Amino acid sequence: MQHGPAVRRRKLGAELRALRADTGLTSGQAARLLGWHQSKVSRIETGTSGVKPADVARLLDAYGVEDPELRDLLVVLAGSEGNGRHHWWHAYRGVLPRTYRDFISLESQASGMRTLETSVVPGLLQTPDYARAVTQAAVDGLEDCKLDALVEVRLARQDVLRSNPPLELSAVLDEAVLRREVGGPEVMARQLERLREAATLPQVRLQVLPFAAGAHIGVTGPFVIFSFPNTTDLDVVVLDHLTSSLYLERKEDLQAYSEAFNALQIHALSPEDSLDYIAVIGDGA
């Protein structure tokens, strides 16, 4: 169990090590190709030290990696903008904690996201007014300018659902998410309407876990599973806490949370019935 930067270094190093092995090169041979010491390649591959994006690109060139998506992903994990794409959240560094920036970076590069939410609507599906109310409640005494910036970030993140290709989002929402009146009746009514709209999108699978389902495996808390294109070795589970986020990367952790999410989907209402359920709650609000 680690924090975001350490996970990113280890995952990047493991992938680079596998790519080197595929070429038949030893770490010493790879180092000589680039004019480096072998220890530098070893530190990169074990994740014990950071690596410059330019050095990742040189390694990928040496290993003959031409897949643009894989190159972009690995360079991004090193902290680059990858393929010249602007990391828009850099403009908000003054108000965004490092763990949140790490989360957004992973989200922006992921091909899929599976999430269990037990308290609030997922950020990617929030309306502006709902996002403002949630942020105000989460960060007490926030200045208006910082509040505005955090809401802007929340809304900008939603572009991943409109990108090409879009992020594939699968969300299981505990009924409490729909019943909790965030921001007042009018704000909540608009938010429920937004959920109904999102549920019809082909890249979104939305399911409701009703109170009638009783206790379930998700009672321990919400979680997110990110999946990435080309390799499952980069998949990661994110657990959010009050002051930090934890990232789980071990295969056994990923398997456990994947199985948990599959079980939640089985116990939840179908996407079609969930849409009707949200409408009933909205009509009664």
Side-chain angles (χ1 to χ4, degrees), residues 2 5-18 20 27 38-51 59 249:
Q2 302 180 57
V7 169
R8 290 158 69 94
R9 287 197 304 269
R10 283 191 56 182
K11 286 185 172 293
L12 175 61
E15 186 66 17
L16 290 172
R17 183 170 61 250
R20 174 181 57 75
S27 59
Q38 182 179 357
S39 60
K40 178 173 180 177
V41 175
S42 296
R43 288 195 303 271
I44 291 172
E45 292 185 350
T46 57
T48 55
S49 67
V51 54
L59 285 168
E249 60 169 331

Side-chain angles (χ1 to χ4, degrees), residues 215-276:
H216 52 78
I217 198 167
V219 294
T220 55
F223 60 86
V224 172
I225 307 172
F226 283 123
S227 300
F228 294 87
N230 300 308
T231 174
T232 59
D233 289 340
L234 294 174
D235 292 356
V236 62
V237 176
V238 184
L239 305 178
D240 221 9
H241 297 277
L242 183 62
T243 58
S244 65
S245 296
L246 292 175
Y247 295 71
L248 284 66
E249 60 169 331
R250 298 183 309 167
K251 288 185 177 180
E252 51 265 45
D253 291 327
L254 287 163
Q255 181 177 350
Y257 277 89
S258 294
E259 290 175 353
F261 191 80
N262 291 340
L264 289 166
Q265 286 187 307
I266 291 172
H267 287 91
L269 299 175
S270 69
E272 295 77 17
D273 289 343
S274 295
L275 193 59
D276 294 338

